[in-house]
Amino acid sequence: ALSDASRERFAEVQCGLTALGIPLQLNPRLVAGFGLLQPHGFEITSDQLGAQATVCGGGRYDGLVSQLGGPQFTPRHRLGPGHGAVIVGVGGCCPGGSDGAAARLVGTPVPDAYLVNRGERAETVGLSLARSLRQLGLTVELDGSGSAFGKQFKRADRSCARWALVLGDEEAERGEVRLKLLQQQGEEITVALSGIAAIVETLRTP
């Protein structure tokens, strides 16, 4: 059984996956080895690995810190999510070599852009935008904290990204994103979300 709050959050997760075009299958019998996951867990599988198809699994551990004697915290706190990955499985799904996907997974390059977003609609649109830009070869860090814009901009500055992509619910409704230089002064640029080529060109301009 799910509480109303858990059911609402679970619906948000499913909307995010659908927006990214990621297929999902609900499994009410999926359980973790420890009874610490709450309110729900996940498992990522691949059809390239045979019988041992699990690549990654995890969920939220909203009550774990308090169970270990620490303070209570809200469900969206950054300590809540957790996961474990099967390294052999990840390697089996990703092309090898120094330029392969597996190498990029463990690399920590300075992002081309940091995506600041806040609001239910903005969060969904931000997921799709980040994925589209990554597929075109850009490194984009997506802030999933839901924090106030000021806090997100501080993290954007610490990331050393050159650009911040700014999305609120108003921008998402208008189909726009704001591009703001982080490391130097400059005018803010507003670009249509449908003009992905224009966004990429701006982010790649020296």
Side-chain angles (χ1 to χ4, degrees), residues 3-206:
S3 66
D4 290 340
S6 294
R7 194 180 305 276
E8 182 179 339
R9 180 57 184 161
F10 192 36
E12 291 177 8
V13 171
Q14 293 177 73
C15 286
L17 291 170
T18 301
L20 292 173
I22 298 174
L24 63 106
Q25 179 179 349
L26 301 184
N27 183 358
R29 295 178 178 84
L30 180 65
V31 295
F34 301 100
L36 300 173
L37 288 171
Q38 54 175 302
H40 41 257
F42 72 90
E43 185 176 74
I44 299 173
T45 62
S46 170
D47 58 7
Q48 302 177 40
L49 299 175
Q52 300 297 325
T54 300
V55 175
C56 178
R60 294 199 60 89
Y61 299 82
D62 292 342
L64 180 57
V65 171
S66 59
Q67 288 181 41
L68 295 175
Q72 295 281 351
F73 56 91
T74 60
R76 291 188 70 99
H77 192 284
R78 302 184 77 181
L79 291 177
H83 73 276
V86 182
I87 301 302
V88 174
V90 173
C93 295
C94 298
S98 60
D99 297 325
R104 291 196 297 272
L105 280 173
V106 297
T108 54
V110 173
D112 297 302
Y114 191 101
L115 208 165
V116 173
N117 62 105
R118 190 165 193 231
E120 185 175 336
R121 175 68 177 157
E123 184 176 297
T124 302
V125 173
L127 277 171
S128 296
L129 176 59
R131 187 184 195 192
S132 296
L133 293 173
R134 289 165 180 164
Q135 288 175 330
L136 293 170
L138 291 168
T139 302
V140 179
E141 186 165 340
L142 174 65
D143 195 309
S145 67
S147 303
F149 279 124
K151 291 185 177 179
Q152 292 192 47
F153 270 111
K154 287 181 180 178
R155 288 194 285 270
D157 285 331
R158 289 198 296 269
S159 77
C160 296
R162 184 163 176 256
W163 289 93
L165 303 173
V166 187
L167 263 177
D169 279 343
E170 291 184 4
E171 286 85 2
E173 290 295 335
R174 291 197 299 265
E176 299 174 343
V177 60
R178 292 184 286 134
L179 279 66
K180 178 181 175 60
L181 281 168
L182 290 172
Q183 307 302 322
Q184 61 191 77
Q185 295 295 323
E187 292 186 6
E188 222 174 56
I189 305 169
T190 300
V191 182
L193 287 165
S194 58
I196 194 74
I199 297 173
V200 172
E201 182 180 359
T202 301
L203 296 179
R204 286 180 170 164
T205 300

